[in-house]
Amino acid sequence: RSVCRPQRTMSPQSFLHVAFLLITLALIAPSLQHPENTHSQFPCYLYYKLLYQKRGDVPDPYAMQIRGTFPFLDNWETPFPVNFQGDGVYTARLHVSLGSTYEFKALRSNQWKLGANDKVTISVCNATLVNTPWFEQKTGVIDKIEGVWSDFFSNNRSIATYLPPVYVENVLSHIDQVLVMHDGQNLFFPDESFGGQPWYAQKTMDELIIGGKAPNVALVGVYNSNKRMEEYTYSRDAEYGGGNGDQYLDFLETTALPRVQQEYPRLSIKLESGDWNRDGLGILGSSLGGLISCYAGWTRSKVYSRIGCMSSSFWWNNQDFRGSIVTQSMPSHPITIYVDSGNAPGQDGDGWEETLTVYKYLDSLPSLKNSVYYYLAEGGEHNEYFWSLRFSVPISNLFPL
């Protein structure tokens, strides 16, 4: 027997209650997928610490964000706030995947950090990443120290240091990569350089750094003296003399570089332990400066790991760098070495044959596999102008991003 049952209807109160629940679920559903709640997808954290303080600036506690390829940032689309802790310190906890590599950039009041994207590879969970961005400064500055005395050579010299843009703007930044260069008076200023032709090294560095093609590298240009041939040669040549290169390199280590570290304490020339920051420290020069750089890298690899030898005078003392220095011993620590020359027709063609001989030998050594770079500057001559044209090449090889 069929029974008629009264049809049930939802009261207005019940309808509003259900509607409220549905709206609430819709609102909180995206948050359930936020990385803070998806531990299975993101098995570990990266603790991000941003340091930024502009001299004379009042920090904005809500100004800093990051964007990037972290999964919860929607491939650069979604900004992630970084929390202000005071004294120029901002922090965030990011969920990441072990073994993954991420790119990112900081923003300050929606203004992108200058220079290259930052990268991090997650090799261990719960690590801390310190980041020191900058947002406005597009040029570095050159500062000079006068009257640096050498007891051994009984002379004074100047040291001109290029401080990259981040060092100028962000007073909490530290520069971990420093390149020591010889013939410092030829690097920056026409009124000091040989023949009035400097390298304009500051312009090259500014373009590379702001263009995202090089990290923030400081250049320490140590001026030469009237004893240049003595200082830049490690052995005595029968015709030209010389041979006090080791004493010059001692001067760099005991006097010149400690003075630079004292003047610019945010340059990491030495570590807090007192050891050399060899992983970030390089040495480069041209002509005899290239020769002494190669010698320094080969015999003092505990100090320098990045070696630049441009148009080096490998002819010195019957080519004894190739004939004896590199065959009698090996660097005690890993190094990356760059050699180059031009091949302009002339008396010696910028020494390209001797340079090629050295390169082929170095490149054949198993311990230097993938650590030797060679560049031939077609038509390049042995002078400051041609070295200035290709200065970006050793920078890119020795200080890759």
Side-chain angles (χ1 to χ4, degrees):
R1 188 175 62 176
S2 63
V3 177
C4 293
R5 300 181 183 274
Q7 185 176 3
R8 293 186 178 181
T9 60
M10 182 179 293
S11 68
Q13 293 83 0
S14 299
F15 177 81
L16 290 174
H17 181 67
V18 171
F20 176 78
L21 289 175
L22 290 174
I23 292 171
T24 301
L25 285 172
L27 289 173
I28 69 172
S31 69
L32 296 177
Q33 298 302 316
H34 190 278
E36 289 290 337
N37 299 298
T38 53
H39 297 272
S40 60
Q41 295 180 17
F42 304 91
C44 62
Y45 294 111
L46 174 68
Y47 292 93
Y48 176 71
K49 185 176 183 180
L50 186 153
L51 305 179
Y52 180 81
Q53 180 64 60
K54 183 179 177 183
R55 185 174 283 107
D57 197 25
V58 178
D60 180 352
Y62 304 105
M64 294 297 180
Q65 301 173 329
I66 58 170
R67 295 191 185 212
T69 61
F70 295 106
F72 54 91
L73 298 186
D74 300 325
N75 196 26
W76 296 93
E77 293 298 322
T78 303
F80 191 86
V82 187
N83 301 315
F84 183 60
Q85 306 297 331
D87 296 327
V89 178
Y90 300 77
T91 62
R93 187 180 70 169
L94 310 175
H95 284 270
V96 292
S97 295
L98 195 62
S100 295
T101 297
Y102 303 103
E103 289 191 39
F104 64 94
K105 255 188 176 180
L107 297 91
R108 178 176 180 254
S109 301
N110 293 319
Q111 182 178 9
W112 288 99
K113 169 224 168 190
L114 294 175
N117 293 346
D118 293 302
K119 292 183 181 181
V120 59
T121 297
I122 309 303
S123 58
V124 61
C125 289
N126 303 322
T128 297
L129 172 67
V130 178
N131 188 219
T132 56
W134 83 108
F135 304 93
E136 301 172 6
Q137 185 76 24
K138 294 186 177 181
T139 58
V141 299
I142 302 163
D143 198 51
K144 188 185 291 187
I145 304 170
E146 305 278 6
V148 182
W149 175 257
S150 166
D151 285 333
F152 182 85
F153 294 107
S154 297
N155 57 26
N156 281 305
R157 73 192 71 213
S158 299
I159 301 174
T161 300
Y162 165 85
L163 301 166
V166 69
Y167 189 98
V168 180
E169 177 180 335
N170 186 351
V171 299
L172 299 181
S173 65
H174 283 77
I175 306 302
D176 295 326
Q177 298 176 322
V178 179
L179 181 62
V180 182
M181 301 180 68
H182 315 292
D183 295 311
Q185 69 271 29
N186 293 332
L187 299 180
F188 307 116
F189 308 116
D191 58 337
E192 293 184 344
S193 61
F194 181 75
Q197 174 61 63
W199 292 27
Y200 293 112
Q202 69 275 37
K203 294 183 179 181
T204 297
M205 295 306 302
D206 290 341
E207 291 173 0
L208 290 175
I209 293 169
I210 298 300
K213 298 179 180 178
N216 280 279
V217 179
L219 308 180
V220 176
V222 182
Y223 284 36
N224 66 32
S225 74
N226 58 1
K227 297 180 179 180
R228 180 177 184 271
M229 188 168 290
E230 288 184 38
E231 295 172 355
Y232 289 4
T233 56
Y234 51 83
S235 64
R236 184 171 181 80
D237 184 273
E239 182 176 356
Y240 295 99
N244 288 323
D246 275 304
Q247 286 74 23
Y248 169 71
L249 295 175
D250 288 343
F251 161 74
L252 293 183
E253 294 176 31
T254 62
T255 304
L257 293 181
R259 178 69 182 278
V260 172
Q261 180 82 84
Q262 179 183 7
E263 293 289 333
Y264 316 108
R266 291 188 284 124
L267 298 187
S268 297
I269 294 174
K270 280 196 169 184
L271 305 173
E272 291 183 2
S273 64
D275 296 330
W276 293 101
N277 177 31
R278 65 167 305 277
D279 289 342
L281 198 57
I283 190 167
L284 180 145
S286 60
S287 192
L288 287 175
L291 180 68
I292 196 63
S293 295
C294 264
Y295 177 77
W298 204 259
T299 61
R300 301 181 184 229
S301 58
K302 72 179 188 303
V303 180
Y304 310 101
S305 67
R306 305 162 191 255
I307 318 304
C309 316
M310 302 178 68
S311 296
S312 303
S313 301
F314 290 130
W315 56 265
W316 181 263
N317 195 17
N318 295 317
Q319 301 185 50
D320 74 335
F321 183 80
R322 166 64 183 89
S324 60
I325 300 300
V326 297
T327 59
Q328 291 179 358
S329 64
M330 290 293 296
S332 59
H333 297 73
I335 61 171
T336 299
I337 188 166
Y338 166 93
V339 297
D340 76 13
S341 75
N343 63 354
Q347 183 178 3
D348 63 359
D350 198 29
W352 74 269
E353 290 181 323
E354 293 94 337
T355 299
L356 187 59
T357 298
V358 169
Y359 163 70
K360 287 182 176 179
Y361 178 77
L362 297 179
D363 194 50
S364 71
L365 299 174
S367 62
L368 292 181
K369 185 175 178 61
N370 300 321
S371 298
V372 184
Y373 295 91
Y374 171 74
Y375 181 78
L376 177 64
E378 290 290 345
E381 300 175 12
H382 195 85
N383 59 51
E384 315 299 331
Y385 173 73
F386 283 93
W387 296 326
S388 73
L389 292 181
R390 65 177 187 266
F391 179 52
S392 63
V393 181
I395 292 295
S396 297
N397 285 319
L398 296 176
F399 296 93
L401 289 169

